[in-house]
Amino acid sequence: MIRPPTPPKGDGAGTAPGPNPPDRPTMSSSDRPVVTRIAPSPTGSMHIGTARTALFNWLYARHHGGTFLLRIEDTDRERSTEAAVQVILDGLAWLGLEPDAPAVFQFARADLHRQVVHDLLAKGRAYRCYMTIEELAAERERSRAEGRAIRSPWRDQEAPPGSNLPFTVRFKGPLQGETVVNDLVKGPVTFRNRDLDDLVLLRSDGAPTYNLAVVADDHDMGITHIIRGDDHLNNAARQSLIYRAMDWPIPAFAHMPMIHGPDGAKLSKRHGAQAVGEFADMGYLPEAMRNYLARLGWGHGDDELFSDAQAIAWFDVKDVVSAPARLDWNKLNHVNNHYLRLADDQRLADLVAEAMNRQGRATEPDDLQKLLSVIPLVKDGAKTILELRDLCAFVLAHRPLTLDAKIIAMLDAETRERLERLSLALRDEAAWTPETLLARLREFVTAEGVGLGKIGAPLRGVLSGGAPAPDLASALTALGREESLGRIADALSQLR
RNA sequence: GGGCCCUUCGUCUAUCGGUUAGGACAUCAGAUUUUCAAUCUGGGAAGACGGGUUCGACUCCCGUAGGGCCUACCA
């Protein structure tokens, strides 16, 4: 693939005749300090693809010592709610990708957008279109059948008809030549201008549209690099035309591939999760998400597990892969397990308690302390906080434990007697550490003339009641002497 | 229908004309073993297809097939 040099010299797009015409001098985006932005629309959830785009924008800004901004694209009044805005704010905060300035709300800037439309109209680069919904639908059908872009008859019709007819304002794009978007990840992408329709700038109710607002805001906010999803690549050409019409420098574009589900189809709820809040609820750590998401569609040699500092040092949009990627739960789990091992136990204890509460299980005052004692013993085997929660649950159980049939079946007379003797042997174990307990266990089975397996399974059952538990010595350690011996005694008296 | 993007193991990726095509996850086998897990060792697994260009192509060009995005008075 042919790629432009990075950072790009000059504009991110050019207009024909030639693919890279000698432009009039405009300020180059690369001369300015880097400013990136994430511009989600508040629709109720924050898609994981949006999260990754945010991450890439954040990494790029950090790498260049630039600024990372947030703009809420709330021009669609029907769908935008305050709650939905909060979801975005919470999502970014959870991911640790907070913007360097307060969020900019697009709808609040409608006056600025209208001013741009006014300027475009004055320059003759926009026109009022009086097509009705029906006429538009008919034209859409015609154009589709003819395989061409939609055209409005009002494009070249100066005189408006009646005075009070509703109209939209459309951009008056060139019909000849071509527009090339010098995308930082795709390379130069050429569009014939005649394939680009005249997009609506102002709705008939006077509200600015996305394609206008995005250009006006990105310019006004001084965005130098537009890093966004692949789905906007087509828009980039038409947006470039607006920059040009306004005599604004064109920012550098970098279109990220999409994230698909494991089956290659568009990622949806069906694939298990799609919103960042869902990943949080499923027990993934934000640092694991950052690492995994960064690795999905971007690479730095064979590096798989890396810190934020490394990602920032290494990140470059030219290393972003151009093909869409599929979400792989196995790999996410692996990465999450890695960060679970690294995580502070106190933090994990809090998260586990929180997960238990969400499950409807109230935690008691000394539970946190108990969790703290097991977590280091079991976290290596957990892929998520939810799994960790289940792995920890046995310590919090209250005596007497209810034993399931499988465990009761193991407790025959011989085993019960042996457990009795083991209990006695453990009673005076002074140190009560995994090491000493394991040694004591081994001594015991040797003295009994049996293998560890003979006593291990029933002991485990009695200690955990059938819930998952770590190895015997660890389980005993986590439970403590009193609780451990108590649970054994409970079981023995229960079956006597 | 039209425009645009994409195509290396099952998955994420490395390779920037010359490699036994590397790594990670998953998987399989073995070791260990007190269930599960963890851990250790080893194995299998890829350039969509067809044409070019070239001494030489996964790498460059063209075509085909497949997938995706856009084609809104949504963003």
Side-chain angles (χ1 to χ4, degrees):
Chain A
M1 175 185 298
I2 305 159
R3 285 179 172 140
T6 311
K9 294 286 177 240
D11 291 347
T15 301
N20 284 305
D23 283 323
R24 62 200 168 299
T26 64
M27 201 206 309
S28 165
S29 55
S30 59
D31 295 339
R32 294 178 278 164
V34 167
V35 182
T36 64
R37 50 67 163 180
I38 174 75
S41 57
T43 53
S45 70
M46 185 173 174
H47 195 274
I48 198 66
T50 305
R52 190 184 56 161
T53 302
L55 174 65
F56 286 171
N57 274 283
W58 181 81
L59 287 172
Y60 193 79
R62 288 288 171 278
H63 178 89
H64 289 96
T67 309
F68 168 62
L69 301 176
L70 166 65
R71 185 176 64 234
I72 305 287
E73 311 252 303
D74 55 352
T75 53
D76 183 344
R77 302 318 287 167
E78 304 276 306
R79 291 196 291 174
S80 302
T81 64
E82 217 170 287
V85 171
Q86 197 56 48
V87 167
I88 292 167
L89 263 20
D90 291 346
L92 288 174
W94 180 75
L95 276 167
L97 302 177
E98 275 158 302
D100 297 321
V104 168
F105 289 85
Q106 190 159 63
F107 180 67
R109 302 157 61 83
D111 286 345
L112 166 75
H113 307 149
R114 271 189 283 268
Q115 183 56 48
V116 173
V117 175
H118 180 82
D119 292 350
L120 252 11
L121 238 20
K123 287 166 180 269
R125 305 302 301 270
Y127 61 95
R128 294 184 173 83
C129 170
Y130 296 87
M131 288 175 92
T132 63
I133 304 290
E134 296 73 33
E135 288 169 341
L136 198 56
E139 163 62 8
R140 201 186 330 274
E141 210 169 303
R142 268 196 308 277
S143 63
R144 197 185 171 91
E146 291 168 27
R148 58 167 177 80
I150 288 178
R151 289 299 165 205
S152 165
W154 300 99
R155 182 186 161 94
D156 301 305
Q157 215 159 302
E158 285 300 316
S163 50
N164 283 331
L165 287 176
F167 61 87
T168 60
V169 176
R170 284 183 184 272
F171 180 70
K172 194 171 188 174
L175 261 18
Q176 259 92 50
E178 46 191 32
T179 296
V180 2
V181 174
N182 283 318
D183 192 272
L184 261 26
V185 353
K186 307 285 185 195
V189 182
T190 305
F191 297 84
R192 284 184 309 250
N193 289 149
R194 65 176 153 89
D195 291 330
L196 273 18
D197 59 19
D198 289 345
L199 35 82
V200 173
L201 269 17
L202 223 50
R203 300 186 178 95
S204 53
D205 64 357
T209 60
Y210 163 77
N211 276 297
L212 183 267
V214 82
V215 171
D217 284 338
D218 283 334
H219 171 73
D220 188 65
M221 292 166 74
I223 306 300
T224 57
H225 294 73
I226 296 180
I227 302 171
R228 67 205 335 180
D230 232 355
D231 48 340
H232 290 286
L233 182 55
N234 290 286
N235 287 333
R238 298 188 297 180
Q239 289 167 6
S240 295
L241 256 17
I242 299 178
Y243 280 98
R244 211 156 269 291
M246 287 300 289
D247 272 309
W248 289 342
I250 298 178
F253 289 107
H255 290 94
M256 306 291 123
M258 313 290 279
I259 297 178
H260 290 159
D263 58 357
K266 190 175 179 142
L267 186 65
S268 70
K269 284 266 195 304
R270 182 168 52 82
H271 297 113
Q274 127 185 288
V276 319
E278 295 176 285
F279 286 86
D281 290 345
M282 289 168 85
Y284 292 99
L285 261 19
E287 63 268 40
M289 291 304 290
R290 287 198 294 275
N291 193 149
Y292 175 72
L293 253 20
R295 197 63 191 74
L296 196 60
W298 171 77
H300 182 267
D302 285 339
D303 296 301
E304 298 286 348
L305 271 0
F306 41 76
S307 66
D308 291 333
Q310 288 173 308
I312 289 168
W314 295 337
F315 188 79
D316 192 334
V317 284
K318 81 165 168 45
D319 296 320
V320 170
V321 174
S322 51
R326 301 180 184 199
L327 183 73
D328 181 19
W329 293 102
N330 284 321
K331 189 123 179 201
L332 209 209
N333 284 336
H334 172 76
V335 173
N336 203 49
N337 172 260
H338 172 80
Y339 286 97
L340 239 22
R341 289 166 184 247
L342 258 39
D344 175 67
D345 293 330
Q346 182 67 56
R347 172 186 172 208
L348 293 179
D350 290 340
L351 288 170
V352 166
E354 199 184 301
M356 285 179 164
N357 292 337
R358 264 191 289 131
Q359 204 181 215
R361 191 192 316 185
T363 43
E364 294 158 28
D366 58 339
D367 282 355
L368 231 39
Q369 205 47 49
K370 290 181 185 170
L371 288 176
L372 212 42
S373 66
V374 248
I375 285 177
L377 304 173
V378 300
K379 67 178 183 180
D380 284 6
K383 292 190 281 286
T384 65
I385 293 292
L386 260 32
E387 281 192 11
L388 186 58
R389 175 198 65 193
D390 294 342
L391 255 19
C392 289
F394 81 98
V395 276
L396 266 35
H398 291 294
R399 291 179 51 196
L401 273 48
T402 42
L403 307 178
D404 64 39
K406 220 170 106 191
I407 296 166
I408 291 171
M410 283 191 285
L411 298 172
D412 53 31
E414 188 198 349
T415 306
R416 287 205 301 274
E417 281 161 26
R418 190 170 283 130
L419 267 181
E420 187 89 58
R421 290 193 291 277
L422 175 63
S423 182
L424 254 31
L426 291 176
R427 194 177 304 279
D428 23 83
E429 169 52 47
W432 208 267
T433 64
E435 295 74 27
T436 59
L437 286 166
L438 182 60
R440 185 51 70 95
L441 243 22
R442 288 200 195 285
E443 267 169 42
F444 178 78
V445 294
T446 305
E448 292 276 317
V450 294
L452 239 188
K454 203 70 182 166
I455 195 74
L459 210 212
R460 175 192 301 280
V462 161
L463 290 176
S464 75
D471 66 270
L472 290 176
S474 296
L476 287 166
T477 309
L479 252 17
R481 184 198 312 270
E482 194 193 339
E483 184 72 19
S484 298
L485 296 180
R487 289 187 183 190
I488 295 172
D490 288 345
L492 293 177
S493 63
Q494 210 173 310
L495 294 175
R496 195 157 289 144

